[in-house]
Amino acid sequence: MKAVAFVGFKKSGKTTTVEAVARVLKERGYRVAIAKSMHADFDREGSDTWRFSRVADAVLVRAHDTDAVLFKAKDINALFSMVSADFLLLEGFKSVQHVPKVICARNEEEVRELNGGLAIAVSGIIASTGVEEIDGLPVIDATKEPEKLADLVEKRAFMLPNIDCGLCGFRCAEMAKMIVRGEKTLKDCVVLSSKPKVTVKIDGQVLPMKDWVQELVEKTIKGMLSAMKGYREGRKIEIVIRED
């Protein structure tokens, strides 16, 4: 799954930009997911769902206009692992450092404040002023040229495992910046480029695991199975756990 974060301050045009890019990618046949970071509480204190969430691990909501699952992911990796799509578009998530970013801004000062080395383009309100480039970054108006911005997202979107395994010699945030600068590629990420000995998928999405975790899972499973009647050594062991 590839990802891009659309970051910016309030009223900078993030939602409009994400919506425009998502529409083009959908028209091109891709599965698109959108994640939105909110500063306010999603579930109002005292509501029925708020009360349910205090005693349940997850709350399912069926409404006239949409359905929702309310739960608390332990971290960003756990949250994103719930998504199965070709492209994940993040609105907000300024602190995320393992995906490239499109800066949505109102002026050049905001662009420079938000550019931490992961920006691949600038959009939002400032794009309507006629500025074509800021500090080497292309400025693209998503309301007039959504295909152009979608082209860039399609070409340059990526998402690193965000586990800081150190196998490549860098933290994921450092590797991401080098990929954006063109100094590295996804092939330089050992976790993504190498074929893991143990693979765990949750609803089709691969769960990244460090080498020692893979070894632990392998030895634990083989140890349990070896005590069972009928067990034999094989080149491949498959275990599927269904929650239905």
Side-chain angles (χ1 to χ4, degrees):
M1 181 169 63
K2 297 181 178 180
V4 170
F6 294 76
V7 301
F9 299 112
K10 191 175 181 180
K11 302 297 182 180
S12 60
K14 295 190 301 295
T15 299
T16 299
T17 303
V18 172
E19 182 183 14
V21 172
R23 182 176 290 109
V24 174
L25 292 176
K26 281 290 292 181
E27 290 173 352
R28 294 177 180 178
Y30 291 112
R31 294 175 302 152
V32 179
I34 298 174
K36 180 179 177 64
S37 176
M38 299 172 59
H39 295 291
D41 291 335
F42 179 78
D43 203 13
R44 180 174 52 83
E45 183 175 351
S47 66
D48 291 346
T49 52
W50 179 87
R51 292 169 60 187
F52 292 151
S53 66
R54 294 301 177 273
V55 296
D57 296 312
V59 179
L60 278 67
V61 180
R62 183 68 188 273
H64 291 296
D65 57 346
T66 188
D67 301 322
V69 178
L70 308 181
F71 68 100
K72 291 185 178 180
K74 64 178 182 179
D75 55 31
I76 289 294
N77 286 1
L79 177 63
F80 293 168
S81 70
M82 300 291 293
V83 180
S84 178
D86 298 310
F87 287 92
L88 173 60
L89 308 182
L90 311 177
E91 182 184 330
F93 294 91
K94 293 188 186 75
S95 62
V96 169
Q97 297 295 310
H98 62 292
V99 304
K101 299 181 179 182
V102 172
I103 298 176
C104 296
R106 293 166 293 188
N107 51 60
E108 294 190 17
E109 289 72 24
E110 290 185 353
V111 174
R112 296 188 175 99
E113 183 176 348
L114 292 167
N115 186 7
L118 291 171
I120 59 174
V122 175
S123 192
I125 301 300
I126 193 174
S128 63
T129 64
V131 178
E132 297 182 355
E133 183 179 293
I134 299 176
D135 296 339
L137 296 171
V139 180
I140 305 173
D141 190 339
T143 63
K144 296 180 179 179
E145 298 181 296
E147 293 84 4
K148 185 176 180 180
L149 187 55
D151 287 343
L152 188 65
V153 170
E154 190 175 17
K155 179 181 178 181
R156 302 195 61 184
F158 67 84
M159 181 162 62
L160 294 178
N162 194 36
I163 57 177
D164 290 335
C165 64
L167 296 176
C168 65
F170 305 95
R171 294 175 61 253
C172 285
E174 297 170 322
M175 175 63 77
K177 292 178 182 179
M178 288 187 284
I179 292 176
V180 167
R181 292 196 299 265
E183 299 169 1
K184 299 285 187 180
T185 70
L186 286 180
K187 293 181 179 179
D188 293 303
C189 173
V190 178
V191 173
L192 294 179
S193 61
S194 64
K195 187 176 181 179
K197 192 173 184 180
V198 176
T199 302
V200 174
K201 294 183 179 181
I202 301 177
D203 293 334
Q205 188 72 33
V206 175
L207 179 67
M209 290 189 293
K210 296 183 180 181
D211 287 350
W212 68 268
V213 178
Q214 294 184 41
E215 184 178 355
L216 176 63
V217 172
E218 177 193 5
K219 290 183 176 179
T220 301
I221 291 177
K222 285 186 174 180
M224 291 188 298
L225 295 179
S226 63
M228 299 175 64
K229 184 178 180 180
Y231 173 77
R232 63 178 178 80
E233 291 288 339
R235 292 179 57 84
K236 186 177 182 180
I237 298 175
E238 293 183 296
I239 297 177
V240 178
I241 301 176
R242 297 186 182 278
E243 297 288 345
D244 52 26

